[in-house]
């Protein structure tokens, strides 16, 4: 069947905005970024091709190496701790506690705060001269020391604490939905079988909740890649460069240090890393879909 | 295989202010197949869950195999249970579903294998042992659930509407299978259902429940033939029993009078002294007989509708005064809507209920 000209026009015009966004913003901007990373652009973009020199400089840059190191620590700890704590919170709420709605709201509350606010709050809490350490000492625990945020080797763990605090509530909400989806009779069958509660969770419930875990893990991982504002608000990358992260490296070099070439090389490296992680997963999902 | 009796003494169960069961007594003998039958909300599942130990009781005692288990954990009661939704562990193979409980309980591996093999063979699951529940049909899943119960070698098997999620054909197949299993194991079984066919076919005894009270506890035959009240009479039997309101009169013999129709009750065994309070006559569709019009005890009726049901035919009629009833004939009955015929209500197949209390007279 041939469509009339007007109906084809309306179809095209309806698709056009999405296509434009797709080609110009995603593919266009991404390709341009990759191209700029192959030039010697400094403050303004230019087209002087210099091959992979920016990447060489990037991987000789201490600040970048620290950033990559930090994001790995942050990523592993943040995702696993948020999943663990979120799941445990959900299990706790699932025990038919009183005032469940209130508790659920309290747990979910941190997620409604921006990373900037989260970062500021935790910066104060962890600050040795006015936060937790100060309070403990004023209560008489003279030897109390909690100064991770001012020590270079531990500053990144402070970002993990703040991030986990913020994201656990969301994980709890996802997990709770999964737990509520478990048939009541499975619990009864397990009781008749004489299975201890922890055993039911470990051997039966958690394997049933793979979709919930996957959803939560994907959401958390995107948070890892774009980690920026928390670092800015909490430590501003410090002390020194101890809590720098890749996204902050990119932003700083783009707008403050006027080194577009290096910034785009960093951005491209991040993109390739993400693709390398996500592609096998998507492939596996597609294979699984075909097999069904 | 061990067999246990179940003794329930003045059991009380309530949730908050709501009383579900009150002072319920029930004895289930060894090797007996007892069916708890009733509409939803009658307390039958609550009773079963209480026997299993899955809900707390407010008062009374539960004894299984002579042991007071009122406050024992489900696993320590010597019971096994099969659920309506199968309740299989979805990420475990059939073999693991059946063996997991035993493994956690510390049963030796050789013993686990022996029991699983035995149950699998009995339920024709041997070729499915490595599959996951999601790869099985509904009927197979429920067989796995029964297998998981069997390997526990329990004294009492509890079934909570096990066939309700299956389609009609599978339900009939599995029903036979459960009956065969009971005959073979001779185990005590308590079975909850709202399906009166399941109850009638499976049970040694049926407990018909309504409003948390056992209305009648008797053999299927007795329940079907001599229901103790109108509720039992209307709940059991399909097509349903006919009910005709009227009153009793004494004229030489007892007579049932409904409008212009009079029906002699010679042969009906009264349980209590008949009074002249309003009564309801109940008669099952298959007990109404077609007669010639010259029969003294017959009543004229007009056919309103004919429902062929395969093996037999249900004929809907009205008496001259408009009272509607239905009766059953075999499939090749030559009856059409509009026909006039004469029917007879044999007194020994009747049930009479007091209209106010609903109790059998």
């Amino acid at each position: 069947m041939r469509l009339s000209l007007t109906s084809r026009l309306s179809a095209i015009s309806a698709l056009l905005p999405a296509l434009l966004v797709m080609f110009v913003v995603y593919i266009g901007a991404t390709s341009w970024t990759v191209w700029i990373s192959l030039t010697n652009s400094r403050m303004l973009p230019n087209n002087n091709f210099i091959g992979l020199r920016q990447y060489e400089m990037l991987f000789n840059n201490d600040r970048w190496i620290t950033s990559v190191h930090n994001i790995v620590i942050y990523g592993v700890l943040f995702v696993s701790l948020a999943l663990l704590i979120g799941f445990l919170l959900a299990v706790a709420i699932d025990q038919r506690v009183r005032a469940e709605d209130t508790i659920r709201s309290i747990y979910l509350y941190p997620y409604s705060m921006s990373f900037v606010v989260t970062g500021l709050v935790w910066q104060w809490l962890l600050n040795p001269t006015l936060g937790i350490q100060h309070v403990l000492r004023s209560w008489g625990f003279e030897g109390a020391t909690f100064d991770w945020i001012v020590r270079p080797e531990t500053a990144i763990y402070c970002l993990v604490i703040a991030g986990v605090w913020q994201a656990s509530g969301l994980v709890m909400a996802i997990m709770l939905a999964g737990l509520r989806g478990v048939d009541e009779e499975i619990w009864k069958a397990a009781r008749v079988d004489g299975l201890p509660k922890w055993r039911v969770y470990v051997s039966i419930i958690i394997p049933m909740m793979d979709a919930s875990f996957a959803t939560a893990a994907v959401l958390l991982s995107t948070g890892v890649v774009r980690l920026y504002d928390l670092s800015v608000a909490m430590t501003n990358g410090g002390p020194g460069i101890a809590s720098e992260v890749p996204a902050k490296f990119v932003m700083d070099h783009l707008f403050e240090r006027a080194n577009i070439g290096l910034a785009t090389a960093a951005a491209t490296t991040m993109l390739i890393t993400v693709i390398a992680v996500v592609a096998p997963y998507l492939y596996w999902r597609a294979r699984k879909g075909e097999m069904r | 295989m061990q067999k246990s009796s179940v003794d329930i003494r003045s059991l009380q169960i309530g949730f908050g202010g709501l009383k579900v069961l009150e002072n319920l007594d029930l004895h289930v003998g060894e090797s007996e197949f007892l069916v708890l039958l009733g509409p939803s909300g009658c307390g039958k599942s609550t009773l079963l869950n209480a026997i299993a130990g899955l809900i707390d009781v407010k008062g009374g005692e539960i004894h299984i195999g002579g042991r007071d288990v009122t406050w024992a954990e489900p696993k320590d009661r010597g019971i096994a249970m099969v659920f309506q939704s199968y309740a299989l562990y979805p990420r475990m193979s059939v073999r693991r579903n059946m063996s997991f409980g035993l493994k956690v309980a510390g049963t030796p591996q050789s013993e686990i294998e022996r029991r699983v093999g035995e149950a699998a063979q009995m339920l024709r699951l041997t070729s499915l042992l490595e599959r996951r529940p999601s790869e099985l049909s509904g009927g197979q899943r429920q067989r796995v659930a029964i297998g998981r119960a069997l390997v526990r070698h329990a004294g009492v098997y509890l079934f909570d509407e096990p066939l309700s999620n299956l389609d009609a054909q599978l339900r009939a197949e599995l029903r036979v299978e459960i009956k065969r299993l009971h005959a073979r194991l001779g185990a005590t079984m308590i079975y909850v259902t709202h399906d009166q066919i399941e109850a009638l076919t499976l049970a040694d005894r049926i407990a018909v429940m309504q409003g948390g009270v056992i209305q009648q506890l008797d053999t299927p035959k007795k329940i079907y033939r001599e229901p103790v009240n109108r509720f039992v009479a209307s709940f059991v039997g399909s097509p349903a029993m006919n009910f005709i309101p009227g009153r009793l009169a004494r004229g030489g013999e007892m007579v049932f009078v409904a409008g212009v129709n009079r029906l002699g009750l010679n042969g009906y065994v009264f349980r209590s002294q008949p009074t002249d309070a309003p009564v309801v006559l109940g008669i099952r569709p298959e007990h109404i007989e077609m007669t010639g019009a010259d029969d003294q005890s017959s009543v004229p009726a007009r056919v309103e509708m004919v429902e062929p049901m395969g093996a037999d035919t249900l004929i809907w009629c009205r008496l001259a005064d408009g009272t509607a009833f239905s009766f059953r004939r075999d499939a090749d009955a030559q009856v059409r809507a509009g026909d006039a015929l004469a029917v007879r209500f044999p007194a020994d197949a009747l049930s009479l209920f007091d209209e106010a209390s609903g109790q059998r007279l």
Side-chain angles (χ1 to χ4, degrees), chain B residues 200 203-206 216-224:
Chain B
L200 292 169
D204 291 328
R205 281 193 307 161
I206 300 176
Q216 187 170 8
L217 173 61
D218 222 322
T219 60
K221 192 170 176 186
K222 202 85 178 207
I223 292 222
Y224 189 76

Side-chain angles (χ1 to χ4, degrees), chain A residues 183 185-196 199 203-204 207-210, chain B residues 49 53-54 74-75 81 83-85 87-92 100-101 104 148 152:
Chain A
D183 183 359
E185 292 197 329
I186 288 196
W187 278 105
K188 288 185 178 179
R191 277 189 71 190
V192 172
D193 258 351
L195 308 179
R199 195 73 201 248
S203 300
I204 297 165
M208 285 171 75
M209 287 180 39
D210 53 354
Chain B
N49 279 302
L54 293 169
K75 68 179 165 77
M81 193 159 176
F83 299 89
Q84 177 176 358
S85 66
L88 297 177
Y89 310 138
R91 294 302 153 100
M92 293 186 185
F100 193 60
V104 171
R148 184 175 63 186
R152 289 181 59 75

Side-chain angles (χ1 to χ4, degrees), chain A residues 109-132:
Chain A
Y109 216 76
Y111 193 69
S112 68
M113 284 186 218
S114 72
F115 266 133
V116 173
V117 176
T118 308
L120 277 177
V121 168
W122 280 93
Q123 190 203 342
W124 293 333
L125 278 174
L126 297 172
N127 187 323
T129 55
L130 49 89
I132 296 170

Side-chain angles (χ1 to χ4, degrees), chain B residues 45-331:
Chain B
S45 280
T46 308
L47 176 56
L48 195 78
N49 279 302
I51 297 171
L54 293 169
I55 49 176
D56 286 343
V57 304
K58 271 202 171 154
E61 290 173 11
I62 300 170
H63 294 247
I64 296 177
R67 212 157 48 87
D68 184 350
V69 294
T70 315
W71 297 104
E73 278 294 304
K75 68 179 165 77
D76 301 324
R77 292 186 173 211
I79 53 135
M81 193 159 176
V82 177
F83 299 89
Q84 177 176 358
S85 66
Y86 325 131
L88 297 177
Y89 310 138
R91 294 302 153 100
M92 293 186 185
S93 67
V94 169
R95 185 192 296 281
R96 198 117 190 274
N97 258 287
M98 301 206 314
S99 61
F100 193 60
L102 295 178
K103 206 179 127 205
V104 171
T107 315
Q109 188 61 36
S110 58
E111 173 69 7
I112 294 179
E113 269 166 33
R114 197 181 61 76
R115 289 196 196 178
V116 170
E118 189 185 72
Q121 201 218 342
M122 216 181 287
L123 293 159
R124 290 177 285 117
L125 290 169
T126 314
S127 59
L128 306 176
L129 278 176
E130 305 311 325
R131 294 218 201 153
R132 289 238 183 128
S134 57
E135 299 162 334
L136 301 176
S137 69
Q140 289 169 332
R141 284 181 208 185
Q142 197 52 291
R143 293 218 305 272
V144 175
I146 294 171
R148 184 175 63 186
L150 287 187
V151 296
R152 289 181 59 75
H153 284 195
V156 182
Y157 293 89
L158 308 174
F159 294 83
D160 193 357
E161 307 219 12
L163 308 182
S164 299
N165 279 11
L166 300 172
D167 63 46
Q169 196 186 346
L170 273 173
R171 208 179 303 164
E173 275 174 31
L174 221 56
R175 200 172 68 208
V176 175
E177 199 144 350
I178 290 174
K179 184 154 191 162
R180 202 177 287 141
L181 209 61
H182 178 249
R184 180 162 167 188
L185 298 175
T188 312
M189 294 185 175
I190 303 179
Y191 186 107
V192 163
T193 184
H194 61 260
D195 183 321
Q196 41 103 16
I197 301 283
E198 274 171 35
L200 292 169
T201 50
L202 289 170
D204 291 328
R205 281 193 307 161
I206 300 176
V208 185
M209 292 182 70
Q210 191 203 19
V213 177
I214 295 181
Q215 305 285 331
Q216 187 170 8
L217 173 61
D218 222 322
T219 60
K221 192 170 176 186
K222 202 85 178 207
I223 292 222
Y224 189 76
R225 295 291 296 234
E226 291 173 39
V228 294
N229 57 32
R230 265 194 78 173
F231 171 76
V232 176
S234 60
F235 194 77
V236 177
S238 169
M241 188 183 253
N242 298 295
F243 292 107
I244 301 167
R247 60 188 176 78
L248 294 179
R250 194 181 294 274
E253 57 163 7
M254 288 300 295
V255 202
F256 173 78
V257 185
V260 296
N261 301 303
R262 295 171 71 83
L263 179 62
L265 294 177
N266 213 354
Y268 183 79
V269 183
F270 279 95
R271 290 194 164 186
S272 54
Q273 198 56 37
T275 61
D276 47 1
V279 297
V280 175
L281 175 141
I283 184 157
R284 298 216 176 268
E286 64 271 28
H287 292 148
I288 297 176
E289 294 166 4
M290 249 168 88
T291 57
D294 51 340
D295 191 318
Q296 280 290 306
S297 55
S298 74
V299 197
R302 188 162 290 279
V303 178
E304 211 175 43
M305 191 174 64
V306 177
E307 269 189 305
M309 303 204 302
D312 42 28
T313 303
L314 195 65
I315 299 161
W316 293 83
C317 300
R318 272 186 198 280
L319 297 181
D321 62 353
T323 311
F325 66 94
S326 65
F327 75 101
R328 216 165 174 174
R329 299 284 293 164
D330 50 20

Side-chain angles (χ1 to χ4, degrees), chain A residues 216-229:
Chain A
V218 167
L219 283 177
L220 294 174
S221 306
T222 59
V224 172
V225 177
R226 58 165 199 238
L227 177 65
Y228 168 71
D229 22 16

